[in-house]
Structure formats: structure tokens, C-alpha cells
Amino acid sequence: MKLGRLVKTKRIFPLPRVYQLLEPGPVLLVTTAYKGKSNIMTQSWHMMMEFEPPLVGCLISGRNSSFEALVATKECVLNIPEEHLARQVVGIGNCSGRKLDKFRKFKLTAQPASKVEPPLIEECFANLECRVVDTRMVNKYNLFVLEVIKAWAEPAKKDPHTLHHRGKGLFMVAGKTIRLPSRKK
Ligand SMILES: Cc1cc2nc3c(=O)[nH]c(=O)nc-3n(C[C@H](O)[C@H](O)[C@H](O)COP(=O)(O)O)c2cc1C
């Protein structure tokens, strides 16, 4: 094995930054509704867990007011923003909705959802209405398992320019799409 070459071209990567390599995408805006108020948080730690019904695992810190709302109401909407919303995405992720109306501050439009209380964000090209279906890993990992019960997406949006977080204010923007033969979904 050409260990010498590997050592030359690679450096030890700090463990606290591993997430920057594995970060799933796209960055989401999660809406919740609690005590008569809607809120938004930015979220990038999530993963698909099942095709049908679609299940999504989401890590939400207990320090966020969205955590409290999700525990209490068990409902949220996962809104998928594109590049043109990048500044709002970062702004929303750097303040708390406890004392602030983020819809107003970041000039986003709330639209009623069909099956849950939290609103859809009109400016996002896709919106997933979700219910929390498993909280067994919330205490240990802050991991909520969500079931998508209704999904909306702009049909014309074939190659959305979604944002993919690389840490510290860096984002990759999805662009190029390639198609390969595959029998799997
Ligand atoms: C790019 C980005 C990604 C983020 N991803 C997450 C995440 O996956 N989970 C989380 O708990 N917080 C995440 N945050 C932080 C929350 O969005 C932030 O704490 C937010 O202000 C919480 O708002 P709230 O108190 O109104 O719920 C992220 C922030 C940014 C800027």
C-alpha cells in the first residue's frame, strides 16, 4: 500500500469537524407553531429513514425554542430553500424565535398547511408537512423521527439550487445533475 503518498496528500482531520465532510443536504427551514405563534429554524442535520411512508430523522438541539414546540405539538413543516434564500437561511439559524417573529424579520410568507398547524414557507420550492412518530431517541440524541404526511413541490423545478452546509458559513449549491442507469430507487 502506498502509505507514503497517502500521508503526503492527506492530513489528520479534526474529529469535531467530521460533520463538515458528511453533512447531508439540503439545508432546511423547519416551521413550528406553538402557543399561537409560528417560528422558523434552520436545520441541516437530518436523514431519510424510509421510502414509504417517508420517514425523516431530524436532530434538533434542546437549546432551540423549536425543540420545545416540537415536543409539545409533535408537528412541523420541512421547507426546502434555494440559493436565493441563503441570507435568510443563515440569519434564521443565528437567532431565536423566543423574542422575535422570524417570518416578519426575514420577510417570508406563511401559507396554511393542509394537515398540520405550522405554516408552509411560500418562498421555498418544496414543503413537507410532518408529524413526529417516534421520540424514543430524543432524550439521548435529540433525534426526532418524522413522518411526512403531505408534500408540496414546484413541478417546474427540475434542478433546484439547494444549499448544502459545509460549516462556518460555507455552503455548496447544488447545480449539475447527472443520470446513470440504476434499478434501485
Ligand atoms: C446552516 C445552519 C444549520 C443548522 N442546523 C441545525 C441543526 O441541524 N439542528 C439544530 O438544532 N440547530 C441547527 N442550527 C441552529 C438553529 O437553526 C438555531 O439555533 C436557531 O436559531 C434556533 O432557533 P429557535 O430558537 O427559534 O428554534 C443550524 C444553523 C445554521 C445557520
Side-chain angles (χ1 to χ4, degrees), residues 39 41-42 44-45 59-61 64-66 93 95-97 102:
N39 189 29
M41 73 162 264
T42 303
S44 56
W45 285 15
L59 269 111
I60 297 189
S61 160
N64 297 335
S65 64
S66 303
C95 63
S96 176
K102 295 200 204 177

Side-chain angles (χ1 to χ4, degrees), residues 129-140:
E129 300 183 28
C130 298
R131 276 210 190 103
V132 176
V133 289
D134 195 337
T135 55
R136 279 173 296 179
M137 280 174 290
V138 171
N139 276 350
K140 194 167 181 189

Side-chain angles (χ1 to χ4, degrees), residues 79 85 103 108-111 120-127 154:
N79 302 274
L85 295 172
F103 273 96
L108 293 170
T109 317
Q111 272 185 331
L120 315 180
I121 299 176
E122 190 181 310
E123 289 79 0
C124 290
F125 82 97
N127 318 81
E154 288 177 28

Side-chain angles (χ1 to χ4, degrees), residues 19 23 27-30 32 37 39-46 58-69 86 88-100 102 142 163-171:
Y19 82 98
E23 190 86 330
V27 175
L28 306 174
L29 292 173
V30 182
T32 46
K37 203 179 139 196
N39 189 29
I40 320 172
M41 73 162 264
T42 303
Q43 217 244 351
S44 56
W45 285 15
H46 58 81
C58 278
L59 269 111
I60 297 189
S61 160
R63 289 189 296 270
N64 297 335
S65 64
S66 303
F67 177 94
E68 203 186 322
Q88 283 106 311
V89 164
V90 174
I92 288 166
N94 281 281
C95 63
S96 176
R98 278 190 190 90
K99 292 184 185 152
L100 185 75
K102 295 200 204 177
N142 292 343
L163 297 163
H164 302 258
H165 191 213
R166 286 178 49 196
K168 307 270 177 214
L170 290 183
F171 295 86

